[in-house]
Amino acid sequence: MASGSPRRKQLLEDAGFHFRILTKEVEEHYPIYLQRSDIPLYLSKIKAHSLKSDFPDSLIIAADTIVVQRREVFNKPSSTEEAKQMLWKLSNNMHEVITGVTICYKGQERSFFEITEVFFKPLTEEVINHYIEHFKPFDKAGSYGIQEWIGMVGIKKIQGDLMSITPPGV
């Protein structure tokens, strides 16, 4: 698996797969002209291709997740202030969580994506500050992980597949 995401690791383990985690540092930049659903596909392909030549006979699974609200892509926050701004924008609003997956095996490649709509309740400043301070969401696009505390107290509803919502990033 070409991902260091603890949630993705847990999902594969729960499904009974035996695997190794192998990652390479890649630049997570994408062309600005890409459509929102193409962004995580593009990034998952970069991650898969970074390992493909080193392990040509191995099954490689790579994934990337982004958060999009009104055409704005929320990447991983680089500061506490940026995380707060993202969570304020998500508060009392709907956004999309889009996960792209690329699977490579012996010269073949398949990519696909899943879109899930997430609706946040209104978040208070106290909730946002508590979450950032205790859960440090700096490795997650959109500044949150739905499986964490904020998902329990802040999510009103989701439309789509909950399992496709993995911690953004990685």
Side-chain angles (χ1 to χ4, degrees):
M1 180 173 71
S3 173
S5 163
R7 178 71 173 142
R8 291 188 181 108
K9 178 181 180 284
Q10 188 66 51
L11 287 170
L12 289 177
E13 286 174 347
D14 290 350
F17 290 101
H18 300 282
F19 57 93
R20 289 186 298 165
I21 295 174
L22 302 166
T23 61
K24 278 191 179 178
E25 208 51 43
V26 296
E27 290 290 324
E28 293 191 27
H29 298 289
Y30 51 86
I32 196 158
Y33 59 80
L34 290 179
Q35 297 295 315
R36 69 192 197 328
S37 60
D38 292 333
I39 295 168
L41 287 176
Y42 180 87
L43 295 172
S44 71
K45 286 179 186 182
I46 287 173
K47 292 174 182 181
H49 293 174
S50 75
L51 294 173
K52 193 164 72 168
S53 61
D54 293 338
F55 303 95
D57 294 328
S58 296
L59 174 68
I60 298 170
I61 302 171
D64 197 87
T65 300
I66 63 168
V67 170
V68 180
Q69 183 184 62
R70 296 187 200 101
R71 299 182 188 250
E72 182 179 2
V73 176
F74 293 9
N75 294 308
K76 298 172 188 173
S78 59
S79 67
T80 298
E81 193 55 42
E82 189 176 12
K84 286 180 184 181
Q85 290 173 3
M86 286 183 198
L87 291 171
W88 273 121
K89 289 179 181 179
L90 297 176
S91 175
N92 204 32
N93 282 301
M94 185 277 287
H95 62 278
E96 296 175 320
V97 177
I98 308 171
T99 298
V101 178
T102 297
I103 301 170
C104 299
Y105 185 62
K106 293 187 176 183
Q108 296 188 20
E109 182 176 306
R110 170 122 162 80
S111 295
F112 56 92
F113 66 91
E114 182 74 31
I115 299 176
T116 302
E117 293 179 340
V118 178
F119 297 79
F120 262 101
K121 299 174 188 175
L123 301 175
T124 65
E125 185 173 357
E126 292 78 21
V127 166
I128 290 172
N129 289 336
H130 175 82
Y131 178 68
I132 292 170
E133 182 180 330
H134 291 91
F135 292 88
K136 313 279 188 235
F138 304 107
D139 62 339
K140 296 171 177 66
S143 301
Y144 82 96
I146 199 166
Q147 74 284 354
E148 294 177 336
W149 176 79
I150 202 159
M152 292 180 263
V153 300
I155 303 295
K156 183 186 323 184
K157 69 176 180 173
I158 66 163
Q159 290 180 333
D161 184 2
L162 178 61
M163 289 307 198
S164 71
I165 302 176
T166 57
V170 194

